[in-house]
Amino acid sequence: MRSWEGSILIAIGSTYANLGDYTNAIRVHQEALEIFIELEDLLGQGNALNEMALAYRNLNEPAKALELFELSLEKLYQVEEATSSQSGLSLSSEEATTKGNIARTLNDLGRYDEALTIANEVLDFRRQEGDLFRVSVTLNDIGNIYLNLGDFENALSFYQEALKIRISQNNLEGQSITLARIGAVFEQQQRTDLAIIFYKRSIDVTETLRAEVVPEDYQESYLVAVDNTYRLLAELLLQRNRILEAQQVLELLKVEEIREFTRATYTTEGLQYDPLEESVVEAHDSLMAVGAQIYPCDPDCDQTLYDQQIELEAYYDQQVLTFEETVRRGRAEDDVFYDPTNLASDAFDIVNAQPGTVLIYPFVQEDDLWLLWTATGGVVGSVKVETIDHAEAELGRAVFRFRELLKRQDAQSFAELKRTGQQLYGWLIEPLKEELEKNNIQQLVFAQDRTSRYLPMAALHDGDQFLIERYTVSTVLSAALTDTTDRLGDVNSTQALALGLDQAISGYSRLPNVREELDGVVKTDAADPQGIYPGQVFMNNDFTFATLSQQVRRYRILHIATHAEFVPYRDGESFILSGTGEKLTIAEIGSLDTQFDNLHLVVLSACQTALGDEALDGTEIAGVSSYFLGKNKAEAVLATLWRVDDEGTSLLMQRFYEILATGQVTKAEALQQAQLSLLQGEEFLTERLAVIQAGQTPRGSLVPVNPTEDEPSGLSHPYYWAPFILIGNGL
């Protein structure tokens, strides 16, 4: 029984590792190791040590990983001695696996010659064993070692051999990895345009794989590699000033991040190639296809296959030569390459839907921060932010500090909040200031990346005023997932479904203002003196999953006022608390997506994101929102980045709806004006509504009624109004 317990723990630890939770994987494998030591089970000890070492390697602790791999190998040698195994092969399969891991770890540590010796020993065994899948893995490993040694010719040779096997086995995951490694060879050779082709090809294979494989099958290490390929390609395209292609890659990356978080299937159109790139891709694909045919029968294949291979090798070399000569002659900007207007049409749809709009893509790399932008009229651009050196870490620290300061309301903290807000403004807005002014921009739409997703952009400060005092602000998951064609409609034709919880339940505190909030939003009958939009309200015990399921398809607005949390890493831990105290997971609610077809706006007025440390990337915000947004679902989600004072939430929500109901403003403008009403300490909306209803300012150019210069207090502090973010169609 104890042996079974150890085996089960190994399986549990491997599951943690596949999900990227390496700390828990190590803990569980350590428990398994202790059981196997107690049982004197050498093979079990070797397996547990190997799994622990893999986890340490993924935690970027190669020295500790190497120590454990070597201990694992010792245990396996002891097993072989004890059983007097005589397989006729130089190694056992388990020994070869562990030695392969040792070679990879030595490569991590820069001990390339040692790594190469061991990897070649493993390759010899794998060839004798006849397992082509494992042969391809080892070939890829050896290619990685040669790449680190700067021996590009050998690196390409081993990668190409691995790719032929992976094509012959229809191993799409392996193909995408190897194609990216070939791209890395060309990148290190400073053959950037060739590197771009192979990174593109890798992503194309990944997109094909996404349409064929259940997402739960992916290991976290593979997902990280895929993410890196998207980012490497985007950066190379930006270096070549191929802005719209870079934007297209970032669009695919955002969909990829949603897929990883939700484990749902999203299909995309993939990347585009210009004609010269296409010729290289076709020549390489043909060469690899013939190589895949030859591999199983080599050296006894029909001679016609070898002749075809020789011919295709020459053709591929010629296509590469032609491509690189064309690029060197500077024709990359001529008609040979795609007309940029054929790309990024989804982004143009967003900015052209309302004059004075710009779509901004912050692109956060380890060292560099780029800003890509598309404005009304097809104006595009990019800029590398020169005032930040280690972008991912510095931005993460600044966002984390900004969020911490927002919780405090003393004068000293507010002064630091403004300074940090100015620093963030300097990175994310200031580099575009000239373009924003030149193009008369009034609406900022952000497609956020990494930790920027946690930023309440409205609260950034330029030294004189908050960003929301100058622009409307909204975000999108991606341009491709945003529908700008639908509008909410007038008050009388727009029905609202409101679900709320105001009593303490299941360890969660009361939300005493929820009933007032919902009563102020929904007019339940003609005699109701308070509500704005006609509809129904379900409170407390009447707010159940069944109620949501049965009612939601009839309404254009879904307003949920209850405790909710967006939890990093896994959608299964994010939830909305029902009126009965049941945690409705976001995935459960997402299962109702066929009922969301009529919805236009979803409001989650008491949710929060768990910003635990500066290393998080905010994918849970995009992931959770994606359950409500998209094709045949709602067009917009209004949510909060943190749970704020119940009274403040209630007041802002009521003002948002009251302003929206005038029919004179967009959703983004209604949110802006509601936020400004709190910022400027307005007791009533009388003056603000009068300006809006009188049409004294054209739609899209609303400005603060009374610009504020004083230090905010009470509900005017950004803690109360800044967390509200509008995602999706802001019109």
Side-chain angles (χ1 to χ4, degrees), residues 385-403:
V385 180
E386 301 294 346
T387 55
I388 189 169
D389 294 322
H390 304 290
E392 187 175 8
E394 286 188 46
L395 183 64
R397 283 193 293 270
V399 171
F400 187 78
R401 183 60 179 163
F402 193 62
R403 288 281 299 265

Side-chain angles (χ1 to χ4, degrees), residues 300-312:
D300 301 315
C301 304
D302 189 285
Q303 182 59 39
T304 56
L305 282 176
Y306 294 111
D307 293 342
Q308 190 177 1
Q309 184 180 43
I310 293 169
E311 181 181 338
L312 287 172

Side-chain angles (χ1 to χ4, degrees), residues 372-424:
L372 290 72
W373 53 274
T374 302
T376 303
V379 181
V380 298
S382 69
V383 60
K384 182 179 175 182
V385 180
E386 301 294 346
T387 55
I388 189 169
D389 294 322
H390 304 290
E392 187 175 8
E394 286 188 46
L395 183 64
R397 283 193 293 270
V399 171
F400 187 78
R401 183 60 179 163
F402 193 62
R403 288 281 299 265
E404 286 292 306
L405 290 166
L406 279 164
K407 299 176 185 177
R408 307 174 188 175
Q409 297 182 43
D410 58 279
Q412 183 176 352
S413 295
F414 182 71
E416 186 181 350
L417 175 71
K418 286 177 64 175
R419 288 195 299 272
T420 307
Q422 282 182 256
Q423 181 184 41
L424 290 163

Side-chain angles (χ1 to χ4, degrees), residues 152-169:
F152 303 126
E153 184 177 350
N154 266 319
L156 274 176
S157 176
F158 278 91
Y159 287 143
Q160 298 281 25
E161 188 177 353
L163 185 58
K164 291 171 188 175
I165 295 174
R166 289 173 165 182
I167 291 172
S168 72
Q169 296 192 314

Side-chain angles (χ1 to χ4, degrees), residues 498-500 513-522 537 539 559 561:
L499 307 171
N513 290 287
V514 162
R515 189 176 296 274
E516 179 184 351
E517 174 184 331
L518 300 188
D519 286 345
V521 171
V522 178
V537 176
M539 288 290 299
H559 187 114

Side-chain angles (χ1 to χ4, degrees), residues 383-568:
V383 60
K384 182 179 175 182
V385 180
E386 301 294 346
T387 55
I388 189 169
D389 294 322
H390 304 290
E392 187 175 8
E394 286 188 46
L395 183 64
R397 283 193 293 270
V399 171
F400 187 78
R401 183 60 179 163
F402 193 62
R403 288 281 299 265
E404 286 292 306
L405 290 166
L406 279 164
K407 299 176 185 177
R408 307 174 188 175
Q409 297 182 43
D410 58 279
Q412 183 176 352
S413 295
F414 182 71
E416 186 181 350
L417 175 71
K418 286 177 64 175
R419 288 195 299 272
T420 307
Q422 282 182 256
Q423 181 184 41
L424 290 163
Y425 181 95
W427 291 336
L428 297 169
I429 305 297
E430 183 68 32
L432 303 179
K433 184 177 180 181
E434 183 178 340
E435 294 295 336
L436 298 179
E437 292 176 352
K438 183 170 66 177
N439 290 285
N440 192 29
I441 297 301
Q442 294 151 353
Q443 289 80 230
L444 307 182
V445 182
F446 292 91
Q448 299 286 36
D449 187 33
R450 289 183 164 163
T451 51
S452 68
R453 294 187 179 101
Y454 291 115
L455 262 181
M457 299 299 295
L460 299 194
H461 206 277
D462 66 3
D464 295 319
Q465 58 187 347
F466 292 106
L467 193 66
I468 199 65
E469 296 183 82
R470 184 157 189 167
Y471 303 100
T472 67
V473 177
S474 63
T475 66
V476 293
L477 301 181
S478 80
L481 297 178
T482 304
D483 176 11
T484 57
T485 60
D486 191 37
R487 300 292 184 272
L488 185 58
D490 61 45
V491 173
N492 294 326
S493 64
T494 301
Q495 297 274 322
L497 172 64
L499 307 171
L501 171 66
D502 66 355
Q503 60 191 12
I505 194 168
S506 302
Y508 289 88
S509 61
R510 290 183 65 234
L511 297 171
N513 290 287
V514 162
R515 189 176 296 274
E516 179 184 351
E517 174 184 331
L518 300 188
D519 286 345
V521 171
V522 178
K523 182 183 287 291
T524 55
D525 56 51
D528 186 345
Q530 289 184 283
I532 300 170
Y533 288 91
Q536 285 185 283
V537 176
F538 294 87
M539 288 290 299
N540 300 327
N541 289 335
D542 293 328
F543 166 20
T544 64
F545 181 78
T547 303
L548 175 63
S549 175
Q550 294 163 13
Q551 296 289 333
V552 68
R553 62 183 174 274
R554 300 182 177 91
Y555 296 91
R556 292 284 282 161
I557 297 174
L558 171 63
H559 187 114
I560 302 177
T562 181
H563 295 281
E565 290 189 17
F566 294 177
V567 181

